Amino acid sequence: MIVEKDRWGIIYVPRAGVRDAQKKWRQIKEYLELRGVRYDCVQSDDSAYVERLTGMLIDNGYRTIVIVGGDEALNGAINGIMFTPREIRSQILLGIVPNGIGNDFASFWGLSTDNYKQAIHSIIEGRTKQIDVGYCSYDEGDEQRVRYFLMSVNIGLSAQAIRLSDICKRFGKKNPSYLVALISLFKERKLYKMRIKVNNEDINDRIMTVCIGNSRGYGLTPSAVPYNGWIDVSVISRPKFMQLLKGLYMLLHGQILNHEQVRPYRTKCLTILDAEGASMCLDGKAVNPVFPVTVSLEPGVLNFIIPS
């Protein structure tokens, strides 16, 4: 199959919990046709299949991959891209039209679900930036597994909050559902026995949550950017009640790193030796790795289409 160089391969992932999920696609399709964009589209009702669909589009010659979806769909796409041969991967451009339950990475670049025209215009303009991609590696039996992420790895309370936030949104609850989820979980403030090695420091403690951010990590790594070759880490202990209220305020205002219960780090690699019983997610997608897990990044390996 020969595909024109400028032809887009679009993966449309309908937003969960929306009564007329096809209405948004009809609007996007009309605008694509108005702008004269040449494209082919496949639909996936489950973001879990996006990785495979991305690989199929690449194998069929598409070099501009556009995800109409949210953070989990974008995570599937980057895993589909990163597992292709390096010489092909260097030719691929990735764009996003935010349309998911969580759109944190799109929001980082100033894109919103309310303005699909802006996102499409940016992809047409084709301004790209080479960005970093984080990854987790761990052994599973005799095999080493690798999973990639764009935004963050969350362990403990923050991972639970992200999943609870998604459930709230699926049932029609509006923002700030992540904040509501955090408040409900902070009331419990469960601690997890974790062992982490970062920057030659051994952390062996009872920890409430850890966020490892290639991007802002839902506010927990607000200084992280996906193009400086570093990952940010926030290790958060259990706050007292008044510290909790202060922490929620600081989270909303991008100041969480100044909280007394937060230990911030900047590194290129860290190892999670154990995190007993703690939930874990990559870009909002739940995972169940076998510890120890090494987290690092590949700098400047993804051609991401950014707003003009």
Side-chain angles (χ1 to χ4, degrees), residues 136-138 270-273 280 289-295:
C136 292
S137 63
Y138 53 94
L270 74 154
T271 302
I272 307 158
L273 297 169
M280 182 171 173
V290 177
F291 293 99
V293 175
T294 297
V295 185

Side-chain angles (χ1 to χ4, degrees), residues 181-253:
L182 269 179
I183 291 172
S184 64
L185 290 169
F186 262 120
K187 288 181 179 178
E188 180 183 0
R189 287 172 289 164
K190 185 176 180 180
L191 297 176
Y192 302 91
K193 183 66 175 177
M194 298 192 197
R195 296 169 54 215
I196 303 169
K197 186 168 184 177
V198 54
N199 293 343
N200 296 319
E201 180 178 340
D202 292 311
I203 302 171
N204 190 351
D205 204 351
R206 297 183 65 81
I207 297 167
M208 190 171 67
T209 193
V210 174
C211 180
I212 304 162
N214 183 48
S215 180
R216 61 188 177 192
Y218 303 94
L220 292 177
T221 51
S223 298
V225 294
Y227 43 77
N228 64 355
W230 295 87
I231 48 178
D232 285 15
V233 184
S234 293
V235 178
I236 304 178
S237 303
R238 182 176 181 174
K240 296 179 181 178
F241 181 73
M242 292 307 296
Q243 291 176 329
L244 162 63
L245 298 179
K246 177 183 175 182
L248 292 173
Y249 174 86
M250 296 174 78
L251 177 67
L252 285 174
H253 292 82

Side-chain angles (χ1 to χ4, degrees), residues 55-113:
M56 290 171 58
L57 288 173
I58 293 170
D59 289 344
N60 281 284
Y62 294 90
R63 293 297 178 262
T64 299
I65 305 297
V66 177
I67 302 301
V68 182
D71 293 333
E72 288 191 29
L74 193 58
N75 180 269
I78 62 146
N79 276 277
I81 292 171
M82 293 300 292
F83 284 113
T84 61
R86 188 179 298 271
E87 61 272 16
I88 296 176
R89 187 177 69 200
S90 64
Q91 303 170 27
I92 297 170
L93 309 180
L94 177 64
I96 185 169
V97 179
N99 187 52
I101 293 174
N103 300 282
D104 197 66
F105 196 75
S107 176
F108 175 85
W109 299 98
L111 299 171
S112 74
T113 56

Side-chain angles (χ1 to χ4, degrees), residues 7-10 25 29 32-33 37-41 62:
R7 195 173 190 87
W8 300 1
I10 298 178
W25 172 244
K29 183 178 178 181
L32 289 169
E33 293 172 355
V37 175
R38 295 189 294 176
Y39 70 93
D40 293 306
C41 178
Y62 294 90

